[in-house]
Amino acid sequence: MLEYTLLALLIVIVWFWIDSISKRELAIQFGKNLSKQFDLQFLDETVACEKITLKRNEEGRVAILRCYEFMVSSSTNDRIKCNLFLLGKHLHNWHIPPYINTAS
């Protein structure tokens, strides 16, 4: 019985690891889209998952809510810390703080 429990735990860990990698790639795409929308330069090597929680989605099912932090720049001299929230594979929310666009 212990072997089955350990095998199930290993399967869950591998699934979560693979799922986290795919969600990070999705967060990079959403971050690039948000950056382009606000005329910012996306610094894609800065995407990191900060927090993972459980939340109900629109259908009432429990899904994983991941908070990703990423950096953007409005010029070559600044770095602006931003956040986006993925609920499952959907963009749930995002935050880009106010900035002065010096690129124009």
Side-chain angles (χ1 to χ4, degrees):
M1 186 65 179
L2 179 61
E3 295 86 12
Y4 294 124
T5 304
L6 291 175
L7 181 61
L9 181 62
L10 180 63
I11 290 170
V12 168
I13 289 171
V14 169
W15 169 83
F16 184 74
W17 180 64
I18 292 170
D19 187 57
S20 294
I21 290 172
S22 68
K23 295 309 184 281
R24 183 179 185 275
E25 293 298 320
L26 194 57
I28 289 171
Q29 288 302 319
F30 282 127
K32 284 180 181 179
N33 292 342
L34 286 169
S35 299
K36 186 181 283 190
Q37 182 179 351
F38 289 96
D39 199 24
L40 296 166
Q41 178 185 2
F42 180 70
L43 307 173
D44 62 345
E45 295 301 318
T46 62
V47 176
C49 185
E50 284 205 319
K51 187 176 181 182
I52 298 175
T53 58
L54 297 176
K55 183 176 170 104
R56 293 199 182 270
N57 59 17
E58 295 85 24
E59 293 128 17
R61 296 184 182 152
V62 175
I64 298 174
L65 177 68
R66 291 177 169 92
C67 173
Y68 287 92
E69 179 181 282
F70 63 99
M71 299 289 227
V72 296
S73 178
S74 63
S75 69
T76 58
N77 299 331
D78 65 341
R79 293 171 72 90
I80 303 166
K81 184 168 67 168
C82 306
N83 297 95
L84 63 85
F85 300 87
L86 292 181
L87 184 58
K89 61 181 180 179
H90 303 287
L91 182 62
H92 178 66
N93 201 352
W94 55 269
H95 173 73
I96 297 177
Y99 62 94
I100 297 173
N101 191 351
T102 58
S104 319

